[in-house]
Amino acid sequence: MSGKFQLKKTSNGQFHFNLAASNGQVVLSSEQYKAHASALTGIDSVRKNAVREGAFEIKDSSNGKHYFVLKASNGQVIGQSQMYASLHSAEQGCESVRRHAPEAVLHDESAAPAA
């Protein structure tokens, strides 16, 4: 089973997506987008940048845990991971995004955008 992008509409009418690995674990979450089309563009950006050298940055949180961000070539953050207890786990999370994002199927769970 491959990974999947889950696109949802939030309670405030915006759009948000998660990338889930083949085991169902969410490995990357997006910001909120005002437009459905912008969220789709964000998913395309994740697909392209996940395989780009230097696109991932692992960071330390204030509570000692680790997380990573995926950045576009212009430096803009296009997704963030969950918190990981170890640096090694965060590195494995990056690898999971690299492996799953390019071929992940899209499950659009948002209502069809208004015309």
Side-chain angles (χ1 to χ4, degrees):
M1 181 182 181
S2 63
K4 67 180 175 179
F5 285 101
Q6 300 164 310
L7 177 58
K8 298 181 179 184
K9 194 169 189 177
T10 63
S11 59
N12 65 1
Q14 295 192 1
F15 298 87
H16 168 82
F17 63 85
N18 291 317
L19 172 61
S22 55
N23 64 2
Q25 177 90 23
V26 172
V27 291
L28 189 77
S29 296
S30 76
E31 63 182 0
Q32 291 189 6
Y33 296 90
K34 291 182 180 177
H36 185 264
S38 298
L40 293 175
T41 300
I43 289 170
D44 285 341
S45 185
V46 170
R47 289 184 204 272
K48 292 175 193 168
N49 286 287
V51 295
R52 187 175 56 79
E53 189 67 35
F56 290 92
E57 182 179 341
I58 296 178
K59 299 183 172 218
D60 299 324
S61 68
S62 58
N63 65 1
K65 294 189 176 190
H66 306 276
Y67 68 100
F68 63 84
V69 294
L70 174 62
K71 294 183 176 182
S73 55
N74 65 3
Q76 182 177 352
V77 173
I78 51 179
Q80 181 174 315
S81 73
Q82 64 181 10
M83 293 292 169
Y84 293 95
S86 71
L87 178 60
H88 179 71
S89 294
E91 290 167 344
Q92 287 179 314
C94 294
E95 185 54 37
S96 182
V97 173
R98 280 188 200 97
R99 218 175 29 250
H100 292 100
E103 302 298 324
V105 295
L106 172 60
H107 290 266
D108 191 344
E109 301 167 14
S110 66

